[in-house]
Amino acid sequence: MTRIAHLSDFHLLEPAIRARRGQAWLRVNYLSLKRALDYEQRRARASAALAEARRAGFEQLVLTGDLTEDGALPQYEVLAEVLVESGIDPARITLVPGNHDAYGLGWDEALDGPLAPWAATSRHGAVTRLRGCSVVAVSTAVVQSVVRSSGRVEAGALDIVDKVARESRRRPVVLAQHHPPFAVAHQWVHGLVNHREVTGLLHAHRTVSVLHGHTHQRRERALELGGPARIFSTGAVVTDALPLRMYAAADGAVHSLATGA
Ligand SMILES: [Fe+2]
Ligand SMILES: [Fe+2]
């Protein structure tokens, strides 16, 4: 059995957030919705969630996007600091970008900069092979206006997942991505444009599951009525009291564990 920990939606701010002016200030206010623009509180929540994951114990921790509020370089630097402070081996962490991260620095630029220690596990299509399963980092980030929060799986990653699933036979394959692989309310604004390509893969390989963020809700869903849960999401670190979710990869599938189990 391989234990996987899942956290999402940190929405980190930079220390000098209150010094923003003009468009930059209006933009972060708009993107932050009604969440307080409190740098310290958000950083503390991220650190507490990482400490909780460490206590729970895992072989891989996946962070499914919206790691920053608007992708500013100093926000990525804060993310790097809290990850280093957590004491978790970078090879044991998979990061993927969310729509909020893509409003700023490009993901590759972030991985070449402050997030370099996590690049090997977090680059689009990166495969982390564990004892009992494989984790694939899938970027759904697209450059778009802040009034949209949609996503698209970039070319190439799903071919990698397909290949890994064929090679892995009965070993589970976990896709870490930000957007849910199904249509959502106001799909054109908020949804994953090519979600059917992901569900096509899930139908083709019973061993493939998806861990996602974006919805800020802890949910699970099956592909077909009465079938096992294959798509899992967790609450947002920025707002949720218990944002950590734990899974076991075993017997050709991913199963949700009670947190603390
Ligand atoms: Fe979010
Ligand atoms: Fe999001």
Side-chain angles (χ1 to χ4, degrees):
M1 181 184 97
T2 300
R3 287 169 70 86
I4 298 185
H6 181 193
L7 292 169
S8 200
D9 294 83
F10 285 33
H11 290 264
L12 286 164
L13 296 167
E14 73 271 26
I17 186 69
R18 296 264 157 200
R20 284 202 192 191
R21 295 287 178 269
Q23 284 297 319
W25 175 246
L26 291 175
R27 187 172 100 133
V28 79
N29 269 277
Y30 173 78
L31 287 171
S32 217
L33 304 170
K34 292 189 168 61
R35 298 183 288 259
L37 288 170
D38 185 333
Y39 154 71
E40 266 149 23
Q41 185 201 61
R42 295 202 193 183
R43 183 184 175 126
R45 294 189 74 93
S47 296
L50 291 166
E52 181 63 20
R54 202 172 165 180
R55 269 193 298 277
F58 56 81
E59 284 177 55
Q60 197 70 14
L61 166 64
V62 304
L63 271 52
T64 52
D66 284 357
L67 306 173
T68 66
E69 192 63 280
D70 64 355
L73 176 63
Q75 296 172 356
Y76 280 114
E77 288 168 348
V78 171
L79 174 62
E81 282 170 20
V82 296
L83 291 174
V84 167
E85 285 165 15
S86 76
I88 300 167
D89 178 354
R92 299 278 64 86
I93 299 179
T94 299
L95 309 172
V96 295
N99 51 294
H100 280 250
D101 305 307
Y103 298 133
L105 213 59
W107 185 237
D108 282 335
E109 216 179 319
L111 292 174
D112 289 338
L115 302 185
W118 300 274
T121 48
S122 306
R123 194 91 54 194
H124 183 55
V127 182
T128 303
R129 290 187 166 83
L130 305 167
R131 205 164 31 101
C133 73
S134 294
V135 176
V136 186
V138 175
S139 168
T140 57
V142 292
V143 175
Q144 61 194 333
S145 149
V146 295
V147 300
R148 284 187 72 192
S149 54
S150 66
R152 168 183 281 279
V153 177
E154 284 177 42
L158 298 182
D159 294 338
I160 292 170
V161 174
D162 183 60
K163 184 166 179 283
V164 172
R166 284 176 200 282
E167 289 168 359
S168 300
R169 296 170 183 266
R170 287 220 3 105
R171 276 157 43 97
V173 180
V174 176
L175 266 78
Q177 65 179 52
H178 182 64
H179 290 80
F182 47 82
V184 298
H186 309 292
Q187 167 68 11
W188 186 79
V189 178
H190 302 300
L192 185 66
V193 174
N194 52 346
H195 64 90
R196 286 193 182 84
E197 291 178 32
V198 182
T199 43
L201 256 182
L202 293 173
H203 282 293
H205 300 286
R206 302 175 75 85
T207 50
V208 176
S209 299
V210 174
L211 308 187
H212 71 85
H214 192 56
T215 55
H216 292 205
Q217 290 182 328
R218 185 189 171 108
R219 290 273 190 280
E220 50 197 62
R221 76 160 56 193
L223 267 193
E224 62 278 315
L225 205 62
R230 305 271 302 280
I231 301 167
F232 304 87
S233 61
T234 194
V237 167
V238 68
T239 47
D240 237 62
L242 296 167
L244 175 66
R245 195 151 186 196
M246 297 293 304
Y247 311 89
D251 306 323
V254 168
H255 311 274
S256 180
L257 294 173
T259 308

